[in-house]
Amino acid sequence: MKYQDFNKKIIELVGGKDNVQAVVHCMTRLRFTLKDRSKAKTEEIKNMDGVVDVVSNDVAYQIIVGTHVNEVHSELISMLGISGESDASDKKVKKNPVKAVLDLFSESMTPILEPIIAAGMLAGVLSLLTLTGLVSAESPTYLLLDNIRSAVFFFLPIFMAMSCAKRLNASPYLAVALAAALLSEGINGVEGLSIFGISLPTTTYSNSFIPIILAVWFMGYVQKFLKKIMPQFLHYFLVPVFTLIICLPITLMFFGPMGAWIGNGMSYVCLFLMDTLGNWSVIALYAALQPFLIMFGAGNFIIPIVVQFHAEIGYDPVFYAACTISDIAVAGAMVGYFLRAKNEKQKQLFGTFGFSALLGVTEPAIYGAFVKFRRPFIAVMIGGGLGGLFAGITNVKTYAMAWGLAGLPSYIGNSDYKNFYSMIIAVIIGFVAAAIAAYILGIPKEKDEKSNDEKIAEVKAVDSEVNASIMKKTVINGCAKGDLIELAKVDDKAFSSGALGKGVGIVANTNSVVAPANGEVVTVFPTKHAFGIKTDDGVEILIHIGINTVELEGKHFDLKVNQGDMVTVGQPLVEVDFEKVKEEGYDPTIIMVVTNTADYLDVIPVKEDFITSEEECITVVL
């Protein structure tokens, strides 16, 4: 359980196990369905190590964690004791019907992206192999491997049936059985079919997804109805067979033609826009705006349209080319920021975000840099728009469902080298233009970018110039003599994350721990390892001696005060034999934080390497 502590904290902050109705995941984010979203502590989740950002909108409560989300999710659902999918017995939240349909498409497509991406990437590899002459397009090796690609799309209804069945209250296995029947040689695309003397329209179900979604939706109601009217002891034997006997004819008569009409309608709308506004305008617009769609969790809505394009005309004339151009423009913007940044930590961050975007995963960059600095959105609108404009003018086609840098070879398609070269140029334009724009726009200075010394100096300057009633500060001294370390480097996530307040860590070189300020000892833990002090100004200080030292149960701690005592700065609180603590295998770091940090304008630790109990350690701006 590599992410056990992380998931335990997530579960706690979203309102506990009982508040989680379902949780699925996409490329980088956990998508929660919460029973009461008001119970989620969004700001605390955002501050967790390992969380890039939190997006709460009508689609879902989304926690962005990165490309390792699959591992996090598998452990999370195990800890929650759920399947990871929506439970049909759970109470559903009423949604706008159009919104509900879009959510269904998005959530059903997400689990099957893995084989779709694999098929797209395989198409790219095969294109490279034929381009270099290593494998002939007529060779048995090529044909065998190409069958993987074609099979994924041919059997798309089966993948979709399994993915959406439980969300539509239907049995996944019966849904797959129905999809397999539709793809059989006796039904798929066969003319002259009839049932009970009624002629059936000719419909091709391979490479489609809408007919099976409609059929599985209907199947959910049929199963519910049959279970209601049949005796319990007959459910196991009769419900499955009657479900299939009822659903297959209805699908053949109604849902197959309806699915074809809807799919053709989506294609028609897109083609109409392309013919009316120009192909170039649609690709340029989508490439420029894709980061905004991803930010709002709406990036998957294009997948059904792309699938329909491939089924109808054999390629995608708009979206995946725009996606790739936009993704690589995001990488370009991060490279521009990488070149502009002077801070080594920022350089490392922008470099990581840029590499991820090159591979087609842009959420880390969008939530980690774009939302924070905003100007990269403009850079991608410029770069993506220009790259998309060129791709539209040259009529670039996407022959496989693959995007990002690794998907570029798939644009060769059926030896369509002009298409490939046009896409390469479009990608270069997007990357270079976004990088230049980001570099010129620059990195906005963050509000908290000033050093702690600068902050304290500003506070002191203001304090000397304005009336004390307008601005006051209180000073907290060190609680021990020793080496001072940043709170973020303390080996305890509860403290290092800042969730318990701002403060410092001290590695003491003496055994005495003293009061850092005048006040009342409001808490003394029975194990003598932690103290709560409330100063005369109302500042609440927690002094926690060592990490996990609660397990020592007071051993090696000699208490000097009691709860309720009034103490003065420098007065001993406890004597600790730190050598014995270390011999017992415990980290002896003293952690001192202001637990009511949120009540003040700022809490500013000093930036020193060494501290004594006579020196200022933390400045609290009241």
Side-chain angles (χ1 to χ4, degrees):
M1 298 291 283
K2 181 179 177 182
Y3 300 100
Q4 184 173 6
D5 292 340
F6 178 80
N7 283 329
K8 185 177 179 181
K9 190 71 174 176
I10 289 289
I11 292 170
E12 176 189 338
L13 294 178
V14 297
K17 290 184 180 181
D18 293 339
N19 195 40
V20 179
Q21 181 174 317
V23 56
V24 294
H25 72 88
C26 54
M27 297 291 284
T28 60
R29 69 190 82 185
L30 298 167
R31 299 164 68 96
F32 283 85
T33 301
L34 300 178
K35 296 176 182 176
D36 183 356
R37 200 175 289 192
S38 65
K39 292 182 179 180
K41 299 177 181 178
T42 300
E43 292 304 317
E44 292 186 34
I45 297 173
K46 286 182 179 180
N47 291 329
M48 285 179 60
D49 289 340
V51 173
V52 178
D53 202 357
V54 177
V55 177
S56 179
N57 57 29
D58 291 339
V59 177
Y61 190 84
Q62 304 168 64
I63 300 177
I64 296 88
V65 298
T67 53
H68 58 291
V69 67
N70 186 44
E71 298 174 44
V72 176
H73 177 262
S74 63
E75 293 185 16
L76 177 62
I77 61 173
S78 175
M79 294 172 69
L80 288 168
I82 60 178
S83 67
E85 299 180 341
S86 301
D87 191 337
S89 63
D90 286 331
K91 183 180 178 181
K92 301 296 180 182
V93 178
K94 289 185 178 180
K95 295 181 179 180
N96 176 286
V98 175
K99 181 72 175 56
V101 170
L102 292 176
D103 288 351
L104 174 65
F105 281 170
S106 177
E107 292 179 9
S108 297
M109 281 292 182
T110 297
I112 66 174
L113 280 179
E114 192 173 12
I116 287 176
I117 291 172
M121 292 302 178
L122 182 58
V125 171
L126 290 174
S127 296
L128 272 180
L129 292 176
T130 55
L131 175 66
T132 56
L134 294 175
V135 175
S136 168
E138 288 79 30
S139 69
T141 300
Y142 180 95
L143 297 175
L144 184 66
L145 293 176
D146 190 53
N147 271 331
I148 300 175
R149 176 199 59 77
S150 60
V152 168
F153 295 105
F154 183 89
F155 292 106
L156 184 64
I158 291 179
F159 290 109
M160 185 59 73
M162 178 61 78
S163 180
C164 72
K166 195 164 186 181
R167 291 177 177 83
L168 295 173
N169 306 330
S171 164
Y173 299 102
L174 290 179
V176 167
L178 178 62
L182 295 176
L183 294 173
S184 64
E185 290 185 359
I187 293 178
N188 187 42
V190 175
E191 298 180 358
L193 292 177
S194 65
I195 188 168
F196 306 126
I198 303 172
S199 297
L200 298 174
T202 302
T203 306
T204 300
Y205 294 94
S206 55
N207 300 291
S208 68
F209 65 96
I210 295 177
I212 193 63
I213 289 180
L214 294 172
V216 173
W217 165 78
F218 178 68
M219 178 182 284
Y221 286 101
V222 170
Q223 282 187 280
K224 184 177 180 181
F225 174 74
L226 291 174
K227 288 178 180 179
K228 186 176 180 180
I229 65 172
M230 284 186 180
Q232 178 73 35
F233 70 92
L234 292 176
H235 284 185
Y236 183 78
F237 300 100
L238 297 184
V239 168
V241 66
F242 277 103
T243 297
L244 292 175
I245 289 175
I246 294 171
C247 290
L248 181 61
I250 295 298
T251 301
L252 296 176
M253 285 190 284
F254 299 107
F255 298 141
M258 283 175 61
W261 297 335
I262 294 171
N264 292 337
M266 290 193 302
S267 299
Y268 175 80
V269 170
C270 292
L271 293 171
F272 174 78
L273 290 173
M274 291 160 55
D275 293 338
T276 305
L277 302 176
N279 195 35
W280 59 270
S281 62
V282 181
I283 297 180
L285 187 63
Y286 190 87
L289 298 181
Q290 184 183 235
F292 293 99
L293 296 173
I294 292 174
M295 184 176 67
F296 292 111
N300 285 347
F301 90 92
I302 64 166
I303 297 177
I305 303 174
V306 173
V307 171
Q308 189 64 33
F309 272 140
H310 278 276
E312 289 292 319
I313 57 178
Y315 60 87
D316 167 24
V318 180
F319 292 107
Y320 270 23
C323 286
T324 296
I325 293 166
S326 181
D327 288 350
I328 295 181
V330 170
M334 290 297 91
V335 168
Y337 265 22
F338 175 85
L339 297 173
R340 186 68 181 259
K342 297 179 181 179
N343 182 295
E344 285 301 319
K345 185 176 180 181
Q346 281 190 334
K347 278 186 175 291
Q348 182 180 3
L349 198 67
F350 295 143
T352 302
F353 289 163
F355 181 73
S356 174
L358 275 176
L359 299 179
V361 181
T362 56
E363 281 92 340
I366 289 170
Y367 291 107
F370 280 50
V371 173
K372 187 176 185 180
F373 299 114
R374 299 185 183 180
R375 294 179 188 176
F377 280 115
I378 301 174
V380 172
M381 290 178 73
I382 294 171
L386 291 175
L389 177 63
F390 181 85
I393 291 172
T394 55
N395 293 315
V396 168
K397 304 175 183 67
T398 308
Y399 290 109
M401 292 185 69
W403 64 89
L405 196 63
L408 289 179
S410 65
Y411 285 83
I412 298 173
N414 299 319
S415 300
D416 191 353
Y417 296 109
K418 179 179 179 296
N419 186 68
F420 174 68
Y421 297 139
S422 297
M423 184 60 183
I424 294 293
I425 295 171
V427 161
I428 293 173
I429 291 172
F431 181 88
V432 173
I436 293 172
Y439 187 88
I440 293 173
L441 290 169
I443 306 171
K445 193 170 185 180
E446 297 180 69
K447 294 179 181 179
D448 58 349
E449 206 169 274
K450 297 176 184 177
S451 69
N452 287 335
D453 290 339
E454 289 176 325
K455 290 179 179 179
I456 293 173
E458 286 185 2
V459 171
K460 289 179 178 178
V462 171
D463 194 39
S464 64
E465 293 176 4
V466 302
N467 190 284
S469 63
I470 300 175
M471 175 78 79
K472 292 197 303 179
K473 66 181 176 65
T474 189
V475 171
I476 300 170
N477 284 2
C479 63
K481 181 180 179 181
D483 296 322
L484 197 67
I485 62 175
E486 294 179 21
L487 188 63
K489 296 180 180 179
V490 171
D491 191 20
D492 187 312
K493 290 185 178 179
F495 288 103
S496 63
S497 66
L500 297 177
K502 294 184 179 180
V504 297
I506 301 171
V507 180
N509 58 16
T510 63
N511 289 342
S512 183
V513 179
V514 304
N518 299 333
E520 179 186 358
V521 180
V522 293
T523 306
V524 177
F525 280 73
T527 49
K528 308 174 188 177
H529 77 292
F531 299 82
I533 297 175
K534 188 172 184 177
T535 72
D536 298 336
D537 292 321
V539 179
E540 297 173 5
I541 306 167
L542 172 62
I543 300 171
H544 191 284
I545 303 166
I547 297 173
N548 295 326
T549 47
V550 64
E551 298 172 2
L552 292 172
E553 298 182 348
K555 188 179 177 182
H556 311 310
F557 290 78
D558 182 13
L559 193 62
K560 300 298 182 183
V561 296
N562 295 307
Q563 186 170 324
D565 289 353
M566 301 299 296
V567 293
T568 57
V569 61
Q571 180 178 334
L573 299 174
V574 64
E575 292 287 326
V576 185
D577 191 334
F578 284 109
E579 288 303 319
K580 294 286 181 67
V581 170
K582 286 189 282 187
E583 287 175 10
E584 296 268 9
Y586 294 92
D587 185 335
T589 303
I590 302 170
I591 304 165
M592 183 168 67
V593 297
V594 176
T595 57
N596 59 339
T597 292
D599 295 341
Y600 303 104
L601 292 178
D602 210 346
V603 174
I604 310 166
V606 298
K607 194 174 183 180
E608 302 289 346
D609 295 327
F610 190 81
I611 196 73
T612 69
S613 57
E614 291 83 29
E615 295 178 313
E616 296 182 6
C617 183
I618 299 174
T619 299
V620 180
V621 184
L622 304 178

